[in-house]
Structures are given as C-alpha cells and as structure tokens.
Amino acid sequence: PLMRDEECIEFPADQTTITKRFADEGIAFISESVTEEKPFFLYLANSMPHVPLFASPDFKGKSEGGLYGDVIEEIDYNVGRILDQLKALKIEENTLVVVTSDNGPWLIMKENGGSALPLFEGKMTTFEGGQRVPCVMKWPGNIPAGSVCDEMALSMDLLPTFAGVSGAALPTVQPLDGKNIIDLMLAKSGAKTPHEYFFYDQTAVRQGDWKYHSREIFKVKATTRASKGPSLYNLKDDIGESNNLIDQYPEIAERLAKVLKTNPNKRAARNKK
C-alpha cells in the first residue's frame, strides 16, 4: 500500500512512479514552507534501490548498469530536481543538503544489489562494505566546495548537528549516541572525529585506523577468507580488510578486545533479554 498519513491512497503502489512522486512531494513541501516563510526539514527516504527494483519508462533500459543502474540514475535525476528548486526559490545558499545511505549493498541480490568495491562484503555484515556508505553534503558559503573529510562520522550524528545549526533543543529523554560534527562538515583545520570508538553490532569495534573483529560474519564471501576471526585490520592502509595484522600487533588487538567486551550495546542487549 501507498499511505498518506493514515489513509491508503493506492493499492498496490505503482512502484515505477514512486521515485518521482517522492521527489514531487518533497518539492511541494519545500515550496509551501518558503511561501509560508517557515524553516523546513525534509527527510526524503527513497524506497529504491531496495529490491524489488522499479524504474519509470523514462529511465528503464537507459543506463549501462542494467535495472540497478536505471534506478540509480532516476534517483540522481530527482535529487537534481530538488536542488534546482532550491535555486529557483533562491534559498540554495541557506539550505544544508545531505545525501547518504543507510547501509552497504545487498550482495545476495547480485546485479540488483549494488557494489561497495573496494570495500569487502556488504549489507548485514560488520565489514566496511556493509557499514561504510557515501555521504555528500552541500551548503554554499559554509561547506567549502570540493572539501573532503576522512574522519569517522555516523548518521546518528546528524540529529545533534542539525539541532546545533538550527538552534533547536536536543531531546533529554535519553542520552544521544550522536555527536555534533559541524567542525568536520565545515572542514575546520585540525577537526577530528568526536567518536573514540565505533561498535559494529557486538562483534567488531573501531578506534582510529584500527578495527578489531572478535569473529567475522559473512553473507556471500566466506569462501574467500581463511580467517573467521579474531582479526585486526588497519583501515588506513587496508580499506578492504584483507590483511589480518593480529599476529603483528597483538597488544592493539587485546586492547580493542577488552573495549568490545564493555560495549554498552552488548550490555543493553543482555539486559533486554
């Protein structure tokens, strides 16, 4: 079903039209907000390229990347429509745009699942191919054009960062895991990630360039690896997590293993049980 608030407006949803219709709704919402002189927050979560894949007649069969490529090109085109509307409304300079994804490719879907190369593995694993995603930000006059940040930042950082930018109060019901990453976004000299550790579920942890797996969980590439963990990788030198350095740096592995045992997410899961 396709829902508007609590009303079903189409069943079954015509998914060949859905990418354009999402963009249409976003453009209308932005336009109404500007007309009413209200600041706005638009969260546009495309259902594509999650399977099953659908592209409109204008894009189907047009890319060199098969149906998956058609879908990505249609998303790209409609993101462009939204950016064009910001220009037309003369609010481009005062609007922060973030384009990112929720997880890596679904490799079991093969040509319909995407690719994260040169990262290893994909969705539903703790390898970088499942966790690390592209993130592009645009905020003319604030984010320097062409700047690149290689510090670790997380999607959960967006809430406190947006709140800081807009002056909104943060929720106080529970502590937030996210941090304000505005210094990273603005490419301030010497800016570093506010995260000391990042826990990949309950089996891996990263600190700086080092990533430790207590055990390695595979979806489609288990046959390419002799190791099933524990393992230690230096992501700066080995983004594909192919060279297990645990024997060369046992002290780093031991330290991160202890950190992983105190993972607050693991304690929360245990308490929930």
Side-chain angles (χ1 to χ4, degrees), residues 11-159:
F11 183 83
D14 180 359
Q15 294 197 68
T16 65
T17 67
I18 205 71
T19 298
K20 179 180 182 301
R21 290 163 76 180
F22 280 178
D24 289 345
E25 292 288 332
I27 290 169
F29 171 70
I30 293 170
S31 301
E32 290 167 7
S33 299
V34 172
T35 299
E36 298 173 8
E37 298 184 345
K38 294 180 179 179
F40 65 88
F41 171 77
L42 170 66
Y43 173 52
L44 198 167
N46 282 294
S47 56
M48 302 295 140
H50 198 287
V51 294
L53 299 179
F54 293 90
S56 69
D58 288 341
F59 289 88
K60 190 172 183 179
K62 301 297 176 64
S63 81
E64 296 181 0
L67 180 56
Y68 190 93
D70 299 341
V71 167
I72 296 300
E73 288 196 5
E74 185 157 18
I75 293 172
D76 184 59
Y77 174 81
N78 281 284
V79 170
R81 291 179 58 219
I82 294 171
L83 297 179
D84 288 344
Q85 184 69 357
L86 297 178
K87 291 181 181 179
L89 294 172
K90 295 181 171 55
I91 58 171
E92 178 188 20
E93 300 290 324
N94 195 34
T95 303
L96 167 61
V97 178
V98 178
V99 180
T100 188
S101 181
D102 58 347
N103 51 247
W106 203 358
L107 297 181
I108 62 173
M109 293 300 167
K110 299 181 181 179
E111 68 273 9
N112 288 335
S115 170
L117 293 175
L119 306 178
F120 182 71
E121 259 289 354
K123 179 179 178 177
M124 295 183 286
T125 76
T126 55
F127 289 105
E128 294 299 285
Q131 303 281 335
R132 189 184 297 215
V133 295
C135 182
V136 180
M137 299 186 182
K138 180 176 184 289
W139 193 10
N142 292 282
I143 297 178
S147 59
V148 177
C149 177
D150 59 7
E151 291 290 316
M152 182 168 58
L154 318 173
S155 58
M156 65 181 75
D157 295 331
L158 295 179
L159 170 58

Side-chain angles (χ1 to χ4, degrees), residues 201-202 263-273:
D201 194 29
Q202 300 174 34
N263 176 2
N265 296 322
K266 182 176 289 188
R267 293 200 304 271
R270 185 165 56 244
N271 293 338
K272 187 176 181 181
K273 291 178 183 178

